DNA sequence: ATAGGGTTAG
């Protein structure tokens, strides 16, 4: 039975079984300069599955590079932009007319802070304002009149700087301004805007900026960078760019702080080309970027999963002799993880240690996550030992990341130790995600008893159950055939506010496929009915022999279309398993056909001149068997039509790198044996091979050619 | 959080 236990849930919800190869979405930076003259499309949308089902695959159109560059080239950087787009760097430039600079190499100077003899009184006053409740503005205003010293320039500035909530800062600013004791200088606006930024009050910030323009108060680099970063934090990227361009128009040159803020804006917009163009322009006019600018670039390439870009950042830093700090290392480590380079992340981490830097919580979180996802148990454990030995800083997020890593790798005892550490700590008490990680570990390890105990503990502690925890438990209890417990957990979770999602439904569906008694199946069905009534209706429809194919096709389309993209294939896998369990083999074939038709199984068949292969790594046991049968039928027809076949045939089940998700290879092997198919285990695990000769003779015995067709 | 830019989970 153990082999059957690997259901669609294991197969499809564990990413290592699907093709997760990431493609570099970006050209090597060395190629960038040449390629800019061409129209480039650097969007990753073509790698995503379409959200809506159509029989024809959809290719999403994205704006071409020239279109993407238009807003910038048409406005701020008009003259310069066209030049950099068309001319390589080596072209001789007239030295009497050097390129116009895009940023000021001098940072904005700050006014010196002068000592205020009233500091004690004023601080105490500010504290009082901070602790008062700002529900009634009039109450706050009456408190302001109790200011111990007259609100002249220096006193007002000190109080303004000490206020926390943006409402209070804003009110205080207006109060001071209305007194007309002195003209409001730029610094008053800047301090207030910073506070408003904490409250993400972009609209108010913009109002203040326009007020400055109206009153003739100078906007400096600090003002602009505050406006830009506030817009950025409020996801108002258009506004950020608008104010950046406005700055140029008023004749003010950004310094490196404002400049790297705007680089980050373009980076968040995923406008990689613009970022690099701005970066190179600035460097060409003498800017030596600092660590923060490189961190922005590194993050951008990390988000694109672009390894070449990350390497480019490292090279640039080296050639400009800028030493990465901890934040830059953190960003680049994370980026390496996203680019799927755990080994390079490890080297980078070692380099960081050799440079004498001490990793912080974020460094370790990034690395633990990378090792966990890569299932590098040895490195993960070694890092953990090192963390403890060197007493590197730990925080709540790191604890939970370590727990998730244990779940990824299957380290039950270590997770239990960590979990107990958390319980005993003061700062890092387990939250619902810590519990969920533990449920995941017990669930995937088949420890139904421990999982149930933890669930009870969770309920007693009043920890919120989430949908993932519920899903882990349902899966575990389903495998253990503890259907009554499953129903209990499901009921309680719903009562506690869990909203079932498609993964949970897929999990219930896979348990249904496993149920041996119809009594159990009905219990699970009743749960599923509460989560997704239409799915249950569809199950009843497909197991009914009388249902016509066209009806199945229409309903399939509706059901799958209403399902989240990542749960579509698991649904289809489970539906096929259910049909096979009820001996509706033809229906299973129809479902596999429909799944293929709607793009749920890309890359199932692969052909080269030498070999044809069937890749069932992302299929459930039943779906894999159905796919094999379908393949054999197709090959038999090809033989009948006497068409060419390659020398070698290959079926790939994969082995599942997760120690909990094996079993497809075993059950597939068993199925081959039952069919007495001539596929043999190859030297490479999870691959079955047959020669043309063996396969043809076997197929001819299975599907003998019709006598009449020979006549 | 004491006038401006960059890094952490599910």
């Amino acid at each position: 039975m153990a082999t059957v236990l690997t259901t669609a849930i294991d197969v499809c919800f564990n990413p290592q079984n699907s093709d997760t190869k990431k493609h570099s979405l970006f050209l090597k930076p060395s190629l960038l300069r040449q390629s800019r003259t061409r129209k480039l499309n650097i969007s990753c949308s073509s790698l995503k599955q379409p959200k809506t089902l159509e029989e024809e695959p959809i290719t999403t159109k994205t704006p071409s590079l020239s279109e993407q560059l238009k807003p910038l080239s048409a406005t701020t950087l008009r003259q310069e932009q066209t030049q950099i787009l068309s001319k390589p760097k080596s072209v001789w430039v007239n030295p009497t007319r050097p390129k116009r600079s895009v940023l000021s190499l001098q940072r904005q100077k700050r006014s010196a802070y002068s000592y205020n003899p009233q500091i004690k009184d004023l601080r105490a006053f500010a504290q009082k304002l901070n602790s008062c409740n700002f529900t009634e503005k009039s109450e706050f205003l009456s408190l302001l009149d109790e200011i111990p010293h007259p609100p002249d320039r220096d006193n007002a500035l000190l109080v303004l700087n000490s206020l926390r909530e943006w409402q209070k800062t804003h009110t205080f600013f207006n109060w001071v301004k209305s007194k007309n004791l002195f003209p409001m200088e730029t610094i008053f606006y800047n301090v207030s805007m910073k506070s408003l930024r904490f409250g993400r009050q972009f609209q108010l910030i913009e109002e203040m900026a326009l007020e400055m323009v109206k009153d003739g108060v100078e906007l400096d680099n600090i003002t602009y960078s505050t406006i830009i970063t506030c817009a950025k934090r409020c996801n108002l990227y258009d506004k950020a760019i608008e104010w950046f361009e406005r700055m140029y128009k008023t004749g003010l040159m950004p310094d490196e702080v404002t400049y790297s803020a705007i680089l980050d804006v373009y980076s968040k917009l995923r406008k990689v080309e613009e970022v690099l163009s701005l970066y190179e322009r600035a460097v060409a006019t003498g800017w030596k970027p600092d660590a923060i600018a490189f961190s922005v670039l590194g993050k951008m390439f990390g988000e694109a999963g672009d390894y070449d870009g990350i390497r480019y950042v490292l090279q640039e830093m080296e050639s400009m002799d800028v030493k990465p700090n901890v934040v830059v290392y953190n960003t680049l480590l994370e980026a390496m993880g996203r680019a799927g380079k755990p080994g390079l992340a490890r080297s980078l981490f070692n380099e960081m240690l050799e440079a004498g830097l001490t990793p912080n919580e974020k460094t370790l979180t990034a690395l633990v996550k990378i090792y966990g996802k890569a299932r590098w148990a040895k490195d993960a454990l070694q890092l953990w030992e090192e963390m403890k030995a060197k007493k590197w800083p730990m925080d709540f997020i790191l604890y939970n990341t370590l727990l998730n890593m244990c779940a990824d790798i299957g380290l039950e005892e270590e997770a239990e130790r960590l979990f107990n550490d958390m319980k005993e700590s003061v700062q890092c008490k387990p939250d619902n995600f810590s519990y969920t990680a533990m449920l995941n570990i017990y669930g995937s390890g088949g420890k139904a008893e421990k999982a149930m105990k933890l669930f009870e503990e969770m309920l007693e502690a009043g920890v919120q159950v989430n949908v993932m925890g519920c899903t882990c438990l349902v899966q575990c209890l389903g495998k253990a055939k503890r259907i009554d417990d499953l129903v209990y957990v499901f009921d309680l979770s719903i009562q506690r506010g869990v909203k079932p999602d498609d993964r949970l439904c897929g999990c219930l569906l896979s348990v249904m496929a496993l149920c041996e008694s119809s009594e159990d199946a009905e219990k699970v069905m009743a749960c599923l009915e509460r989560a997704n009534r239409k799915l249950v209706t569809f199950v009843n429809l497909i197991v009914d022999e009388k249902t016509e194919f066209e009806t199945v096709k229409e309903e399939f389309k509706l059901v799958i279309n209403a399902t989240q993209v990542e749960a579509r294939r698991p649904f289809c896998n489970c539906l096929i398993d259910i049909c096979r369990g009820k001996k509706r083999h033809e229906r299973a074939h129809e479902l596999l056909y429909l799944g293929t038709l709607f793009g749920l199984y890309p890359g199932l068949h692969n052909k080269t001149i030498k070999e044809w292969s069937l890749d069932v790594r992302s299929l459930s046991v039943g779906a894999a068997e159905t796919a094999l049968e379908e393949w054999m039928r197709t090959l038999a027809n090809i033989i009948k039509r006497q068409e060419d076949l390659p020398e070698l045939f290959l079926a790939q089940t994969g082995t599942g790198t997760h120690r909990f998700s094996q079993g497809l290879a075993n059950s597939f092997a068993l199925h081959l044996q039952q069919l007495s198919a001539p596929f043999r285990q190859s030297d490479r695990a999870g691959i079955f091979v047959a020669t043309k000769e063996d396969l043809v003779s076997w197929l001819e015995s299975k599907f003998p050619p019709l006598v009449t067709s020979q006549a």
Side-chain angles (χ1 to χ4, degrees), chain A residues 117-126 148-149:
Chain A
Q118 330 284 10
I119 188 162
K120 250 190 168 164
D121 293 347
L122 290 166
R123 287 237 187 234
F125 173 65
H149 302 282

Side-chain angles (χ1 to χ4, degrees), chain A residues 481-631:
Chain A
K481 309 245 178 285
R482 293 170 61 159
I483 303 302
D484 291 333
D485 286 336
L486 183 153
V487 174
Y488 164 78
V489 166
F490 182 81
D491 281 347
L492 254 171
S493 301
I494 301 291
Q495 269 177 41
R496 300 281 172 122
V498 167
K499 296 268 168 281
D501 63 2
D502 290 339
R503 283 187 178 219
L504 178 53
C505 291
C507 194
L508 287 167
L509 209 54
S510 78
V511 173
M512 244 173 75
L514 282 178
C515 285
E516 280 151 2
S517 75
S518 58
E519 197 193 339
D520 278 351
E522 274 160 27
K523 287 178 188 168
V524 179
M525 196 96 140
C527 292
L528 189 58
E529 187 133 35
R530 293 166 63 190
N532 188 339
R533 170 117 31 100
K534 284 186 177 156
L535 192 55
V536 173
T537 311
F538 185 64
V539 170
N540 288 327
L541 187 89
I542 57 172
V543 296
D544 184 349
E545 278 173 296
K546 293 193 291 293
T547 311
E548 301 278 341
F549 173 70
E550 280 306 316
T551 312
V552 174
K553 183 177 173 181
E554 280 314 301
E555 294 300 317
F556 181 89
K557 194 171 169 177
L558 290 173
V559 167
I560 293 295
N561 226 341
T563 305
Q564 289 176 322
V565 171
E566 72 272 15
R568 288 176 181 175
R569 190 170 55 211
F571 271 27
C572 192
N573 281 338
C574 292
L575 293 168
I576 293 172
D577 287 343
I578 290 171
C579 287
R580 289 187 75 95
K582 294 204 179 282
K583 306 290 174 228
R584 302 275 188 274
H585 282 75
E586 276 318 301
R587 187 74 81 207
H589 281 272
E590 289 173 6
L591 290 171
L592 181 71
Y593 167 74
L594 290 173
T596 311
L597 188 67
F598 292 121
L600 305 186
Y601 300 107
L604 186 58
H605 298 281
N606 301 290
K607 289 181 180 178
T608 64
I609 297 167
K610 282 190 200 154
E611 65 176 43
W612 289 2
S613 67
L614 183 74
D615 180 354
V616 298
R617 282 178 300 174
S618 65
L619 275 62
S620 60
V621 170
E625 292 174 359
T626 309
L628 178 73
E629 290 166 11
E630 191 68 46
W631 198 35

Side-chain angles (χ1 to χ4, degrees), chain A residues 373-390:
Chain A
K373 293 282 166 255
R375 312 217 189 281
W376 283 17
K378 202 181 120 213
D379 293 277
L381 286 170
Q382 196 182 321
L383 177 65
W384 188 3
E385 290 305 321
E386 201 173 358
M387 281 165 54
K388 285 187 282 191
K390 297 192 177 160

Side-chain angles (χ1 to χ4, degrees), chain A residues 108 184-187 189-190 212-213 215-221 223-224 252:
Chain A
Q108 161 104 35
M184 291 309 246
E185 299 160 30
T186 304
I187 188 171
Y189 284 93
N190 289 349
M212 292 173 86
V213 174
D215 294 352
V217 182
E218 181 204 356
L219 283 79
D220 61 14
N221 257 287
T223 322
Y224 281 110
L252 181 63

Side-chain angles (χ1 to χ4, degrees), chain A residues 228-297:
Chain A
I228 289 167
T229 52
C230 178
K232 187 174 70 183
R233 282 177 207 183
C234 298
N235 295 320
L236 299 168
Y237 299 110
D238 289 352
K239 280 289 180 190
I241 293 170
E242 186 188 314
W243 279 95
F244 178 62
E245 293 182 345
R246 193 182 175 126
M247 173 167 62
Y248 273 109
K249 282 185 198 137
T250 62
L252 181 63
M253 199 56 101
D255 65 9
E256 73 171 336
V257 175
T258 314
Y259 204 75
S260 52
I262 206 71
L263 284 184
D264 197 39
V265 169
Y266 281 110
S267 161
K268 295 278 182 301
L269 285 168
R270 306 194 176 251
K271 300 207 171 193
V272 177
E273 281 288 317
E274 272 94 338
V275 173
L276 286 182
S277 170
L278 286 168
Y279 168 82
E280 287 181 354
R281 288 236 35 206
V283 170
T285 52
W287 179 41
K288 184 183 170 185
D290 63 0
I292 292 176
F294 286 117
S295 171
V296 169
L297 292 185

Side-chain angles (χ1 to χ4, degrees), chain A residues 10-33:
Chain A
D10 293 314
V11 171
C12 298
F13 285 154
N14 285 317
Q16 80 279 0
N17 286 315
S18 56
D19 185 7
T20 51
K21 250 187 291 172
K22 284 203 179 162
H23 303 274
S24 180
L25 303 176
F26 196 64
L27 292 173
K28 289 184 182 177
S30 57
L31 297 175
L32 266 175
R33 208 156 287 124

